Amino acid sequence: MRLLHVTDGVEYGLLQLEDAPHMVRLLAEVFSRSEPMAVAANLPEAQVARMVECLVPKAVAEQLTVVARDVASGQLVGALLADDFGTTPPEGLDAAAPLFAPVGALLDTLDEPYRASAAVAPGTHAHLFMLGVAAHAASRGIAGQLVAACTAQAQALGYRTAVTEATGAASQQVFRRTGFHHVATASYRDFVFGGERVFSAIMGVEGTMLMTRALGGAVL
């Protein structure tokens, strides 16, 4: 990683290529085990890993993704995968994770109207979209530190707005605490994919929230 700062025994830094295998494993394990839509869709850890692998080259090039490493153990304990919302996603994502299709479709119901209304272009909006912390490192404030470091980096690079799709109650709370505001919600109960309400069994959260935060005094 390219070190940004050290807080409470954890190093936070920008993703470098040598960090990628560790980040892939961490995010694949966390998302397949605990992300509400991934669990509901039975998205296998291997497919999440392949999807993250497809995203790594773009993430390394754009230098928005932040990882967290425990100083004592040297282990990667958290990551926030982020990219430029105004640029084209990498090829191969659909093939890498076919069971991600209903998740992507729900996210599109939030992202497409926002893109149309917010004048999204390369260099304007930083997209924070996969936030994960290892189970054994929970309750150390790592998620909030990752968000803070990522938004600070985005602002330093000249981005005007940070945008995220927060899918669970915990992530929605983290983003609220770090200055994000609710824009729209895609209801799990009402969403239909392939004629089925594929996420209606998700409990404890209404749906995925599209949330934004102005950077450097920008207007959302």
Side-chain angles (χ1 to χ4, degrees):
M1 68 166 69
R2 181 157 70 85
L3 186 65
L4 296 171
H5 65 86
V6 182
T7 301
D8 296 330
V10 179
E11 295 176 334
Y12 297 88
L14 299 176
L15 176 74
Q16 304 298 295
L17 196 57
E18 60 268 23
D19 308 310
H22 307 287
M23 183 186 74
V24 168
R25 285 194 294 271
L26 184 143
L27 290 178
E29 193 278 328
V30 170
F31 271 72
S32 62
R33 171 178 51 82
S34 59
E35 194 283 316
M37 289 192 288
V39 172
N42 294 313
L43 187 58
E45 184 173 335
Q47 288 194 22
V48 181
R50 289 197 295 270
M51 183 176 68
V52 177
E53 286 170 350
C54 287
L55 296 164
V56 162
K58 187 173 189 285
V60 171
E62 293 178 346
Q63 287 294 277
L64 287 165
T65 295
V66 179
V67 294
R69 179 184 294 125
D70 181 73
V71 173
S73 68
Q75 293 183 338
L76 204 72
V77 291
L80 175 49
L81 187 58
D83 72 354
D84 188 319
F85 203 41
T87 58
T88 304
E91 296 182 359
L93 288 174
D94 292 342
L99 292 181
F100 185 78
V103 180
L106 181 140
L107 297 179
D108 284 345
T109 68
L110 293 168
D111 293 346
E112 291 177 0
Y114 180 76
R115 288 178 190 275
S117 65
V120 175
T124 63
H125 290 66
H127 181 213
L128 288 59
F129 63 98
M130 290 188 83
L131 173 62
V133 175
H136 69 269
S139 303
R140 294 176 62 182
I142 292 172
Q145 289 286 343
L146 285 166
V147 174
C150 185
T151 52
Q153 172 68 2
Q155 182 172 340
L157 292 175
Y159 288 86
R160 301 198 304 266
T161 305
V163 58
T164 190
E165 306 95 345
T167 62
S171 62
Q172 290 168 8
Q173 184 178 52
V174 168
F175 282 106
R176 283 195 193 97
R177 287 178 174 173
T178 50
F180 283 73
H181 301 281
H182 172 259
V183 174
T185 298
S187 167
Y188 292 143
R189 182 188 62 191
D190 298 335
F191 178 73
V192 176
F193 181 84
E196 298 183 9
R197 298 184 186 276
V198 290
F199 300 130
S200 62
I202 295 175
M203 305 296 290
V205 60
E206 179 185 355
T208 293
M209 285 187 180
L210 182 75
M211 306 177 76
T212 62
R213 174 183 161 184
L215 303 175
V219 177
L220 298 181

